[in-house]
Amino acid sequence: MSSRDSRFDGQFITGVHSTGIYCRPSCPAATPKPSNVSFYLTSAAAHEAGLRACKRCLPDAVPGSPEWDIRDDLAARAMRLIGDGLVEREGVPGLARRLGYSERHLTRVLVSELGAGPLALARAHRAQTARMLLVGTDVPITDVAFAAGFGSVRQFNDTIAAVYERTPTELRRAYSPAKPPGCESALSAPSASPKGQIVRSREVVDGGGGTGGGTGISLQLVARAPFDGVGVLRFLAARALAGVEQATDARYARTLRLPAGPATVELTLTGPPSAPGVTCRARLTSLADLAPLVSRVRRLLDLDADSQAIDRALSGDPHLAAGVAATPGMRVPGSLDPEETLFRALIGQQVSVAAARTVLTRLAEALGEPLPGADSADSAADSAADRDAHTAGSAQAGHSAPLTRLFPTAERIAAEGRTVLRGPASRVDAIIRVAEALRTGDLVLSFGQSREDLESRLMALAGIGPWTAGYVALRVLGTPDILLTSDLALRQGAGRLGLPADARHLARHGAAWAPWRSYAGMHLWRAAGATTGATTSAANRDLSPAS
């Protein structure tokens, strides 16, 4: 607190009992006496202790805690699902059911470990979503209440007053662009970017698509510095599917399914290296999908990773030090849709990224549901040209084709996948079995699963081995400590850095990288794509295991 180190913003909350407020660690207010301070993992715990948010530093306007990905226990898994808006959709009974525990046991664990029960944690999450909308958009206040998940305007007003000691109107006025908070850190949303706004036009995402009569919105998301945003977008661009995604080094757009219906989202890198951010422009079927959208985008881009701690740990290995120095803040790309990620992993096994992209593009075109409001007829010529680029293996494929369709559902793949999928019969059979298991509910993928549970459920299915299960856990759960030593490209990258190139010895050497082996793996994949005089990144390399 005395050093006002912004690296710890979002990782814990400081409660000052003499003033009755809680702050971010970098708050510029006078340092309180140690006897007056308590530390909390969540703002909900501070609320439960009778504290309100500091008006000077806005402790909620920071990147999220990386703790929930590092930990894989019940409390961390619950926080992932609460952040995804599950309590608003299914209530505490639904949260407990998803986690496999009784409501009573879940509440006891959360109160013991996080200082607040599931209702209080969900209430704090709703307050943070409401603050983001009030400060960063021009959405009408009544709409903000229901978009944030509150059951009534009165409940919304009471919560905002209790947490921020201001009415919603006062909170919006206090942090408007004309009067930014004087002590906001560079990481905070209000001072890091212009105020977002509600967008009523059809072209919310400049991709030629649409979602019928949905609502458009633009927000600024903060990232924990340093942030290799270009590297993440290159990874996504190498796998972009025509009609479903568009991607460049600075922009990524796509269609997706959210709880209330289909949506489109466009992500653009913004801000200087010291205060990186992402502009998120979306069109939603319902504003109630805003919280899950923001949560999933943050997971996709790994915005909350403790990059300074990761880089410091990995740079201690002389073989990785140069790569860490050249690319600080490397991220592990996450997932917007667990089921889609699983199908991509299955189809991408033992083939190049370009070959997998061709198959997936054909699958999406044949079985993907048309995006409501998209005019696919006008984009037929563009789609055909883009398919030709995919077939040729062009790195530019998928960058400009209009957004016209959603990725196919498990139901559609189970019913019609055999008419589209090509390749060894055993692989096609495995994909159809997985689709059928997802369709019937025999297999369920969730951001709230533990790594052990997810991997064991996947490997119980014929055709899924350790690489696929580990890769899905890495992408879907954001597990930071997975090293896929069976991956050929990863071992090639290790060899180029002077590390052991066989799986057993690489695993032994990589034990020293714990708990950040997923990030070490990203550096090895990057090294696999780095040849003398070449500029191709590991994002454009095959990430499948050896055949």
Side-chain angles (χ1 to χ4, degrees), residues 246-406:
Q246 299 173 341
T248 67
D249 284 0
R251 173 185 175 274
Y252 176 71
R254 67 159 296 158
T255 64
L256 70 158
R257 290 182 182 84
L258 292 171
T264 53
V265 64
E266 177 189 47
L267 308 173
T268 307
L269 302 180
T270 60
S274 60
V278 175
T279 298
C280 175
R281 302 171 67 228
R283 180 169 286 281
L284 308 173
T285 298
S286 167
L287 273 177
D289 276 338
L290 180 65
L293 171 71
V294 170
S295 174
R296 295 176 194 190
V297 166
R298 298 196 70 85
R299 298 186 67 80
L300 175 70
L301 303 182
D302 200 12
L303 297 182
D304 299 328
D306 189 357
S307 49
Q308 292 195 39
I310 295 167
D311 288 355
R312 185 166 55 251
L314 297 184
S315 62
D317 188 321
H319 299 91
L320 298 180
V324 172
T327 312
M330 187 176 288
R331 296 304 209 261
V332 175
S335 168
L336 290 174
D337 185 323
E339 293 186 6
E340 177 184 327
T341 299
L342 175 55
F343 285 120
R344 285 178 179 253
L346 288 169
I347 291 172
Q349 291 181 97
Q350 300 181 341
V351 299
S352 69
V353 169
R357 189 176 59 229
T358 299
V359 175
L360 286 161
T361 298
R362 184 168 59 241
L363 182 72
E365 181 179 289
L367 304 182
E369 177 186 347
L371 182 68
D375 188 354
S376 58
D378 291 344
S379 61
D382 290 334
S383 296
D386 200 78
R387 287 196 304 276
D388 291 342
H390 274 290
T391 302
S394 169
Q396 299 301 314
H399 290 184
S400 59
L403 301 177
T404 58
R405 65 186 69 88
L406 297 158

Side-chain angles (χ1 to χ4, degrees), residues 5 26 119 125 148 153 183 225 245-246 249 262 308 316 318 338 382 429 434-435 462 484 488-489 497:
D5 194 335
S26 66
L119 282 175
H125 181 257
V153 174
C183 60
E245 299 167 284
Q246 299 173 341
D249 284 0
Q308 292 195 39
D382 290 334
D429 289 343
V434 167
L484 300 173
L488 176 60
L497 295 179

Side-chain angles (χ1 to χ4, degrees), residues 50 111 174 232 260 268 314 323 336 407 429 457 474:
V111 170
V232 178
T268 307
L314 297 184
L336 290 174
F407 191 85
D429 289 343
R457 287 176 182 270
L474 182 148

Side-chain angles (χ1 to χ4, degrees), residues 88 126-127 129-130 133-134 139-157 160 168 172 287-288:
E88 283 70 39
R126 287 194 292 269
T129 301
L133 285 168
L134 289 169
V139 175
I141 287 178
T142 300
D143 291 344
V144 168
F146 295 106
F150 290 96
S152 68
V153 174
R154 179 177 180 179
Q155 183 189 60
F156 163 67
N157 289 334
I160 295 300
R172 169 168 279 174
L287 273 177

Side-chain angles (χ1 to χ4, degrees), residues 10-15 22-25 38-43 46 59-60:
Q11 301 202 45
F12 63 88
I13 296 291
T14 60
Y22 67 90
C23 304
R24 61 173 73 181
S38 295
F39 297 101
Y40 304 96
L41 278 177
T42 65
S43 59
D60 297 332

Side-chain angles (χ1 to χ4, degrees), residues 189-544:
S191 60
S193 68
K195 187 176 181 181
Q197 61 180 356
I198 191 76
V199 184
R200 299 294 182 187
S201 67
R202 183 172 182 269
E203 300 298 328
V204 177
V205 177
D206 186 18
T211 55
T215 300
I217 194 167
S218 177
L219 293 169
Q220 183 74 9
L221 307 180
V222 291
R224 198 179 299 279
F227 173 52
D228 178 31
V230 171
V232 178
L233 295 195
R234 283 178 178 168
F235 181 99
L236 298 173
R239 294 154 180 78
L241 309 181
V244 176
E245 299 167 284
Q246 299 173 341
T248 67
D249 284 0
R251 173 185 175 274
Y252 176 71
R254 67 159 296 158
T255 64
L256 70 158
R257 290 182 182 84
L258 292 171
T264 53
V265 64
E266 177 189 47
L267 308 173
T268 307
L269 302 180
T270 60
S274 60
V278 175
T279 298
C280 175
R281 302 171 67 228
R283 180 169 286 281
L284 308 173
T285 298
S286 167
L287 273 177
D289 276 338
L290 180 65
L293 171 71
V294 170
S295 174
R296 295 176 194 190
V297 166
R298 298 196 70 85
R299 298 186 67 80
L300 175 70
L301 303 182
D302 200 12
L303 297 182
D304 299 328
D306 189 357
S307 49
Q308 292 195 39
I310 295 167
D311 288 355
R312 185 166 55 251
L314 297 184
S315 62
D317 188 321
H319 299 91
L320 298 180
V324 172
T327 312
M330 187 176 288
R331 296 304 209 261
V332 175
S335 168
L336 290 174
D337 185 323
E339 293 186 6
E340 177 184 327
T341 299
L342 175 55
F343 285 120
R344 285 178 179 253
L346 288 169
I347 291 172
Q349 291 181 97
Q350 300 181 341
V351 299
S352 69
V353 169
R357 189 176 59 229
T358 299
V359 175
L360 286 161
T361 298
R362 184 168 59 241
L363 182 72
E365 181 179 289
L367 304 182
E369 177 186 347
L371 182 68
D375 188 354
S376 58
D378 291 344
S379 61
D382 290 334
S383 296
D386 200 78
R387 287 196 304 276
D388 291 342
H390 274 290
T391 302
S394 169
Q396 299 301 314
H399 290 184
S400 59
L403 301 177
T404 58
R405 65 186 69 88
L406 297 158
F407 191 85
T409 62
E411 291 82 357
R412 192 78 186 274
I413 294 174
E416 303 177 51
R418 291 188 187 278
T419 65
V420 181
L421 294 169
R422 299 290 183 269
S426 59
R427 181 181 301 172
V428 174
D429 289 343
I431 294 170
I432 299 302
R433 276 195 300 269
V434 167
E436 185 64 24
L438 290 168
R439 183 191 69 81
T440 61
D442 292 337
L443 175 64
V444 177
L445 302 181
S446 164
F447 298 114
Q449 287 177 279
S450 67
R451 174 187 173 184
E452 180 182 4
D453 179 56
L454 184 145
E455 290 185 348
S456 64
R457 287 176 182 270
L458 289 177
M459 287 193 289
L461 297 171
I464 296 183
W467 181 88
T468 301
Y471 182 75
V472 172
L474 182 148
R475 296 287 306 277
V476 171
L477 303 181
T479 305
D481 200 30
I482 295 176
L483 187 64
L484 300 173
T485 55
S486 64
D487 186 278
L488 176 60
L490 187 145
R491 296 202 308 272
Q492 289 174 340
R496 289 179 179 173
L497 295 179
L499 291 162
D502 67 282
R504 184 166 60 89
H505 289 93
L506 179 58
R508 183 180 302 167
H509 183 96
W513 300 331
W516 310 118
R517 281 176 281 192
S518 298
Y519 295 89
M522 293 301 298
H523 281 283
L524 299 185
W525 276 324
R526 181 71 61 93
T531 57
T532 303
T535 59
T536 303
S537 75
N540 295 318
R541 299 285 297 186
D542 177 17
L543 300 190
S544 58

